[in-house]
Amino acid sequence: NEESHNTDASNTNSEKQTQSTTEVVYQPDRQFPNNISFKTANFVSDDFVETQKYDTILCLSVSKWIHLNWGDEGLMKLFRKVFDLLNPGGIFVLEPQPWESYRKKHKITETIRKTFHAIKLRPEQFEEVLLRDVGFASCRELPIEYPEKFSKGFSKRPVFVLQKPTL
């Protein structure tokens, strides 16, 4: 675990296992914040290939755009790729946008309008799908206390923390 993504993803492992043994080697330069890196990538593209595994992957404020551009199939592809890229016990942090925000943006292009009307999987179903169909072991919503005067653009969105099963 030497790098990470931010769907993007971040790796918080401060230890490195050597390839020849199970001995854990302490690397002071791999401690926070030096053990976090960000990579921007199109997870939905068939061209996206990643072999490294990660401890944590963040998906913040992007699920709507993946969904509007690639539909249910693209969103499920994202969820499955994230699951596959996580180490056992790894964490997926997801901030889905509410369906109403999809409605506000669905007329941006004709393609997005058509995709919007074909969407069957709604954000309020993501937790169930991630647990039942993708294979995450658990999901909890972070208890976020929003200030009284909070930006309307983020409308007090839920943030879910999902964990991949350990082996």
Side-chain angles (χ1 to χ4, degrees):
N1 294 339
E2 301 208 9
E3 277 187 62
S4 29
H5 276 41
N6 177 20
T7 313
D8 300 8
S10 59
N11 177 348
T12 58
N13 190 358
S14 62
E15 299 174 340
K16 178 185 173 186
Q17 250 185 345
T18 63
Q19 292 181 355
S20 59
T21 70
T22 57
E23 174 188 356
V24 176
V25 178
Y26 177 71
Q27 292 184 327
D29 63 324
R30 298 299 298 165
Q31 290 186 349
F32 180 79
N34 299 320
N35 63 341
I36 296 177
S37 63
F38 294 93
K39 181 176 182 181
T40 302
N42 181 348
F43 268 40
V44 181
S45 168
D46 289 333
D47 295 335
F48 178 80
V49 177
E50 180 66 68
T51 57
Q52 185 171 335
K53 299 290 186 175
Y54 299 92
D55 295 319
T56 302
I57 297 178
L58 306 175
C59 186
L60 306 173
S61 302
V62 297
S63 60
K64 170 179 74 178
W65 297 110
I66 292 168
H67 213 176
L68 285 173
N69 282 283
W70 289 279
D72 291 341
E73 183 180 325
L75 189 69
M76 290 303 295
K77 191 179 218 180
L78 166 75
F79 290 163
R80 287 186 179 107
K81 280 188 177 182
V82 165
F83 185 85
D84 290 343
L85 287 171
L86 286 170
N87 285 315
I91 299 294
F92 177 38
V93 180
L94 174 66
E95 179 199 30
Q97 295 92 324
W99 183 250
E100 183 57 35
S101 73
Y102 283 60
R103 214 180 285 283
K104 291 177 184 176
K105 299 294 182 182
H106 84 279
K107 295 180 183 177
I108 290 177
T109 69
E110 183 61 22
T111 302
I112 287 178
R113 188 188 68 73
K114 287 178 182 176
T115 303
F116 171 81
H117 288 293
I119 289 173
K120 292 185 178 21
L121 177 60
R122 300 290 177 94
E124 57 272 11
Q125 299 168 300
F126 291 179
E127 178 181 355
E128 178 185 350
V129 166
L130 286 158
L131 293 168
R132 183 192 66 218
D133 300 337
V134 178
F136 283 94
S138 64
C139 179
R140 68 181 177 92
E141 186 175 340
L142 288 180
I144 299 173
E145 292 186 29
Y146 291 93
E148 197 171 305
K149 293 182 179 183
F150 191 73
S151 168
K152 290 181 184 179
F154 287 87
S155 65
K156 301 182 181 180
R157 297 179 191 162
V159 176
F160 296 106
V161 176
L162 296 110
Q163 186 170 23
K164 184 174 180 173
T166 56
L167 294 179

